[in-house]
Amino acid sequence: MSTSPGTQSRVPASSRGLPEGCERAAIIDPAAIRHNVETIASYVRPAKVMVAVKADGYGHGAVTTARAAVEAGADWIGVAHVTEAIALRDAGIEAPVLAWLHTAQTDFAEAIERSVDVGISGWELDEVAAAASSLQTPANVHLKIDTGLGRNGCTVADWPQLVARAAEHQDRGLISVVGIFTHLAVADEPDRRETDEQLEVYREALQVAEEAGLSVSLRHVANTPAAFSRPDAHFDMVRVGVGVYGQSPFADRTAEELGLRPAMELRTTVANVKRVPAGQGISYGLTHRVDRPTALALIPLGYGDGVPRIAVHAPVQIAGRVYQSAGRVAMDQFVVDLEDPDTPVQVGDDVVLFGGDSGISAADWGRAAQTINYEIITRIGGRVPRLVVDSAELAAGHGSTSDVVSAPGAEEGRA
């Protein structure tokens, strides 16, 4: 079986193994996404839940994630760019959507026409109001205050002017200020005082907005770590990302401890096995040499597929046993030391880098690559098809086939 970019095929998916002809895949489980949304919702009730599906659903597929999230009761969907929101609308996602990161090229008129709420940090306000005026349709906006993260959002100094201007536009019927939000910088480190400071600034910003005549229905601050650790940051709604995909935002708490299930499993098969003598160097730079006769397995995934080049001694499950990578990751492949010249491992044996029943997490690869689990799952590239397998449907005896998508996002409008 082969797929070309933007195509989708129906293939047997009676288990989590790769279907015939599929050389590598990121297996995405909507049931895990639904479970995680429900779990997070149980922590934050009565606050609403916005699920972030930016960056193609953290590499899981934006449409796949959004549909599963809505099925699980998510109230809102969040994206970075308006173009991401429009793709969701094109795929039939009707839930409320907020887009918050804009450039001079952002099409605010299309956002308004497609019922996409717009995050406002400052300069965008008059642009959005002008688009609304030309369409004779009011825009729904959420004003963002920078409480300390130092990225997007209006500064505290400029906030009174922004809310006053927003109130003017609202009085003219050009906009409706639906929400006021901010983003936390260190919520993944619950003991740090900066979160308390940010929340204090946020509450003061709410008061300034109220004094300007604005009354909003959605105050939203908490991200995934704050959803679990800071109930005082829940307000009316939380915006959660990495937790929805079954990843822990904390260095000292696993996803399992939080009740989350990873939604991505990265799989391939062994491409080659060969015996080598002691002293054999491995991969570019010969940064690793084996100290004994052994066998090496070649894994057909590399940094061209999103596997970090910097990863050292990363865990890999082959035929049910965990080994470690050896030497530098190359563009298309990396090497695993099988620790035995007489290994039973053969070409074609199953390989799991993380997820599924392997016991290996994206966080394990993050540690090996000196990065975080967010980056590991999000960077899996377009050469790796997404194979959507709903474990709940399989357990119920339904869904004997699943969708293979050749590149992230290619299922938009089809799945």
Side-chain angles (χ1 to χ4, degrees), residues 36 74 79 87 102 104 117 146 175-176 199 209 223-224 292 372 393 412:
N36 297 332
V79 296
H102 316 298
D117 285 35
D146 178 8
I175 68 170
S176 175
L199 290 174
N223 51 8
T224 296
R292 68 211 178 290
I372 56 176
E393 292 186 3
E412 316 295 70

Side-chain angles (χ1 to χ4, degrees), residues 14 31 35 41 69 83 129 146 152 185 192 265 310 326 331 350 363 368 384 395 407 415:
S14 58
H35 166 84
T83 52
D146 178 8
N152 216 355
R192 291 185 59 169
E265 179 184 8
I310 195 175
M331 185 180 294
D350 288 334
V384 181

Side-chain angles (χ1 to χ4, degrees), residues 109-356:
E110 186 173 19
I112 296 168
E113 289 179 315
R114 302 299 295 275
S115 299
V116 174
D117 285 35
V118 179
I120 299 292
S121 293
W123 69 267
E124 314 97 329
L125 180 60
D126 289 339
E127 298 281 341
V128 171
S133 178
S134 66
L135 293 171
Q136 296 188 335
T137 302
N140 289 334
V141 305
H142 301 231
L143 305 180
K144 186 173 185 181
I145 173 77
D146 178 8
T147 57
L149 182 59
R151 300 189 318 190
N152 216 355
C154 181
T155 65
V156 171
D158 291 338
W159 182 249
Q161 180 180 353
L162 178 67
V163 297
R165 186 70 172 156
E168 292 175 6
H169 286 314
Q170 182 163 269
D171 290 343
R172 294 170 56 201
L174 298 177
I175 68 170
S176 175
V177 181
V178 175
I180 292 176
F181 69 118
T182 192
H183 196 54
L184 299 176
V186 294
D188 55 332
E189 302 176 64
D191 294 333
R192 291 185 59 169
R193 60 181 175 79
E194 289 94 336
T195 298
D196 294 322
E197 295 169 354
Q198 284 194 258
L199 290 174
E200 182 177 354
V201 172
Y202 178 72
R203 293 187 182 96
E204 292 172 354
L206 291 175
Q207 184 174 349
V208 171
E210 184 177 352
E211 292 170 353
L214 297 179
S215 177
V216 300
S217 59
L218 290 175
R219 302 165 298 164
H220 46 111
V221 176
N223 51 8
T224 296
F228 284 105
S229 67
R230 295 296 303 245
D232 56 335
H234 291 173
F235 292 95
D236 303 305
M237 182 167 68
V238 301
R239 301 185 314 274
V240 289
V242 77
V244 169
Y245 305 97
Q247 304 294 326
S248 172
F250 303 111
D252 59 351
R253 298 175 69 185
T254 66
E256 184 178 13
E257 289 171 338
L258 296 173
L260 304 176
R261 289 167 41 193
M264 177 188 289
E265 179 184 8
L266 184 58
R267 295 187 73 105
T268 185
T269 59
V270 174
N272 193 33
V273 178
K274 62 183 180 184
R275 294 187 179 92
V276 297
Q280 172 70 52
I282 299 177
S283 197
Y284 292 120
L286 299 178
T287 59
H288 182 91
R289 292 183 183 273
V290 298
D291 58 5
R292 68 211 178 290
T294 188
L296 305 177
L298 193 65
I299 312 302
L301 286 165
Y303 62 76
D305 304 295
V307 179
R309 181 178 183 271
I310 195 175
V312 177
H313 303 310
V316 180
Q317 185 191 75
I318 301 176
R321 177 181 168 185
V322 176
Y323 301 90
Q324 289 188 338
S325 66
R328 286 180 179 159
V329 174
M331 185 180 294
D332 312 298
Q333 58 202 278
F334 66 93
V335 175
V336 168
D337 186 348
L338 297 174
E339 304 172 0
D340 182 358
D342 299 316
T343 178
V345 172
Q346 304 176 50
V347 171
D349 280 351
D350 288 334
V351 177
V352 181
L353 275 69
F354 58 81

Side-chain angles (χ1 to χ4, degrees), residues 13-16 389-402:
S14 58
S15 71
R16 282 193 170 274
V389 180
D390 193 310
S391 62
E393 292 186 3
L394 290 175
H398 305 302
S400 60
T401 60
S402 289

Side-chain angles (χ1 to χ4, degrees), residues 39-104:
T39 297
I40 293 168
S42 72
Y43 275 83
V44 304
R45 288 190 184 99
K48 298 179 184 296
V49 175
M50 176 185 290
V51 170
V53 303
K54 60 183 181 173
D56 199 49
Y58 287 47
H60 293 65
V63 170
T64 296
T65 301
R67 286 182 176 160
V70 172
E71 289 169 0
D75 304 281
W76 281 73
I77 300 297
V79 296
H81 307 300
V82 166
T83 52
E84 295 176 309
I86 299 305
L88 294 177
R89 290 289 187 245
D90 288 344
I93 303 298
E94 298 178 352
V97 178
L98 171 67
W100 53 72
L101 179 59
H102 316 298
T103 71

